[in-house]
Amino acid sequence: MRKVGIIGVGQSVFGVRNDVTIQELAWEAVKEALDDAGLTQRDIEISIVGSAGTRTYELYPAVPINEYSGLSEKGPIRVEAACATGSAALAVAYNMVASGFVDVALAIGVEKMNEVDTATSLAVGGRGGNYLWEYHFYGTTFPAYYALYATAHMAKFGTTEEQLALVRVKNQKYAARNPKAQFQFEVTVEDVLKSRPVAWPLKLYDCSAITDGAAAAIVASEDAIRKLRIDTPVWIEAIGYASDTSNITRREDYVSLRATRLAAQMAYRKAGIEPRDVEVAEVHDCFTIAEIMAYEDLGFTEKGEGGKFIEEGQSEIGGKVAVNLSGGLLGKGHPLGATGLAMIYELVKQLREERERGRQAPLKRYIALAHNIGGTGHYGYVTILRR
């Protein structure tokens, strides 16, 4: 397997993007990635498009996206892994380059979720697990799934609603400094606690929003990087992956995501590092409880200590590991197919030390981690990057 580096990244502005089609939205990210790498469409050998495709008018978006982006002859390949679709697209691109199939590949993640109303979006999301057992009989939606995790964590470890709220407070502090974030404002613990209930103990500000957005990354082999004279490649050290049961009644417990733990263990082993080596991370905070569980499952802190970890400021700049300096899914937005690649976008910028003042992590080892979950733990990807 060949060494693979990221040589260009791009991301659209996230939010309610009724000003563009899905093709135009994807092109915003693709164009930035091409410009970032100093390449043109001619340099791309294959394009992998990631889109959950369950809320947009284009049910098969890969072909029109590639056509609009001037990549009609470069594939396309379509991948889907629910909320982890962007990471799946990167994994396919990485493996195509690492195996020698191509030298330069483009991974695109895109979603236009606001093409349907909120009720429809919730119904579609509720089918992301086990439709017949969970959604059809019980009407379970994603806030309800993660409320189950939150109540279990609170009962077992004493995690509080205030600790959950601190996750949103932290992430909004960084989102307010991110010009591409959906929500560019700060909030207080009181703001979060007073926001309307969604599924107790989760309130409106404990939940990520319905978002339109796109992100892209260009990956290349070490030989191609040398030939292209790329000065600052960010190397993909490892990609860990795992999955779990579709039916959550068959999960071992509700205070952890097994897919995260297994994917993290694989990634750390492949990269030859330990959790304490990670300096900056983007984790899957679709709900505030998800970030607290991620601290624990990724090994940043002991099981049950996630609430204390956020309370002590250990996931801020200056703490043990700077987490979600983009604003995370809560502040930046969560367009399903784009989320995993948007994490890569942020981390590449962090490792190049190109972030705005107030959200650039201080780096010594230049090691970053992206953690992307699909569904309620159905898919798990952990990607280790190093400059």
Side-chain angles (χ1 to χ4, degrees):
M1 298 288 281
R2 301 189 297 177
K3 193 172 180 180
V4 179
I6 299 171
I7 60 173
V9 289
Q11 184 196 314
S12 74
V13 172
F14 281 10
V16 180
R17 295 298 309 275
N18 293 330
D19 57 315
V20 291
T21 65
I22 193 170
Q23 296 97 315
E24 292 168 329
L25 188 62
W27 172 242
E28 289 182 19
V30 172
K31 184 179 187 304
E32 184 181 352
L34 289 170
D35 291 345
D36 187 41
L39 304 181
T40 69
Q41 291 94 327
R42 291 191 300 273
D43 299 302
I44 304 299
E45 294 178 71
I46 196 161
S47 168
I48 297 93
V49 175
S51 174
T54 51
R55 294 169 174 85
T56 183
Y57 50 85
E58 289 285 4
L59 294 180
Y60 309 103
V63 172
I65 285 170
N66 277 273
E67 178 186 358
Y68 188 87
S69 299
L71 298 163
S72 294
E73 300 171 3
K74 308 295 185 177
I77 294 172
R78 160 91 181 278
V79 299
E80 179 276 316
C83 321
T85 293
S87 290
L90 181 69
V92 172
Y94 167 84
N95 281 297
M96 286 197 157
V97 173
S99 67
F101 192 80
V102 297
D103 284 316
V104 182
L106 170 66
I108 307 168
V110 62
E111 215 73 60
K112 260 181 84 54
M113 298 177 68
N114 284 285
E115 296 298 322
V116 298
D117 59 31
T118 300
T120 303
S121 188
L122 276 172
V124 170
R127 296 172 182 235
N130 186 297
Y131 171 73
L132 289 178
W133 176 252
E134 292 163 3
Y135 182 76
H136 182 69
F137 287 114
Y138 298 105
T140 315
T141 63
F142 263 69
Y145 281 119
Y146 276 91
L148 182 152
Y149 288 122
T151 52
H153 207 277
M154 294 166 76
K156 187 168 184 177
F157 302 119
T159 306
T160 67
E161 291 181 71
E162 288 77 11
Q163 289 171 335
L164 296 178
L166 282 170
V167 173
R168 185 64 188 254
V169 172
K170 171 183 69 71
N171 292 354
Q172 282 305 137
K173 179 174 74 172
Y174 297 123
R177 294 163 173 81
N178 182 355
K180 294 193 175 185
Q182 182 169 10
F183 302 113
Q184 297 175 36
F185 55 80
E186 296 194 37
V187 297
T188 65
V189 169
E190 186 178 15
D191 291 332
V192 180
L193 295 178
K194 286 187 174 180
S195 61
R196 65 177 175 83
V198 175
W200 191 88
L202 302 179
K203 292 159 282 293
L204 183 66
Y205 280 179
D206 287 296
C207 309
S208 58
I210 299 169
T211 312
D212 305 330
I218 300 171
V219 299
S221 67
E222 189 172 17
D223 286 344
I225 289 170
R226 192 177 298 111
K227 291 175 183 176
L228 292 167
R229 298 181 180 179
I230 303 296
D231 294 328
T232 55
V234 170
W235 302 104
I236 300 176
E237 294 290 301
I239 298 179
Y241 56 88
S243 58
D244 207 343
T245 63
S246 69
N247 189 330
I248 66 168
T249 66
R250 295 177 178 171
R251 305 278 177 89
E252 57 190 16
D253 61 48
Y254 301 114
V255 295
S256 175
L257 294 183
R258 185 168 179 264
T260 296
R261 298 199 316 273
L262 294 178
Q265 290 165 13
M266 180 189 293
Y268 291 142
R269 184 176 66 252
K270 286 181 176 180
I273 67 168
E274 297 182 10
R276 66 171 178 263
D277 296 318
V278 177
E279 296 176 287
V280 59
E282 289 285 303
V283 309
H284 198 91
D285 62 318
C286 50
F287 299 89
T288 51
I289 184 60
E291 180 163 328
I292 286 177
M293 290 196 300
Y295 299 154
E296 301 166 356
D297 291 341
L298 293 167
F300 297 155
T301 190
E302 296 297 319
K303 195 66 203 168
E305 297 293 318
K308 184 179 177 183
F309 196 76
I310 181 71
E311 203 168 50
E312 292 178 346
Q314 298 294 355
S315 55
E316 301 238 18
I317 291 176
K320 288 185 177 179
V321 54
V323 177
N324 285 340
L325 301 186
S326 66
L329 284 60
L330 290 165
K332 178 183 57 184
H334 181 26
L336 305 185
T339 288
L341 283 162
M343 291 175 173
I344 299 300
Y345 174 84
E346 175 65 28
L347 294 176
V348 167
K349 294 287 189 178
Q350 287 285 343
L351 291 174
R352 291 181 188 162
E353 298 177 296
E354 296 175 352
R355 290 290 73 186
E356 297 85 358
R357 184 179 179 183
R359 66 185 193 94
Q360 172 63 56
L363 303 170
K364 294 180 180 178
R365 295 179 295 275
Y366 293 88
I367 298 175
L369 177 149
H371 159 251
N372 195 193
I373 288 295
T376 59
H378 300 97
Y379 308 87
Y381 284 90
V382 172
T383 304
I384 307 291
L385 305 179
R386 188 196 304 258
R387 178 179 165 189

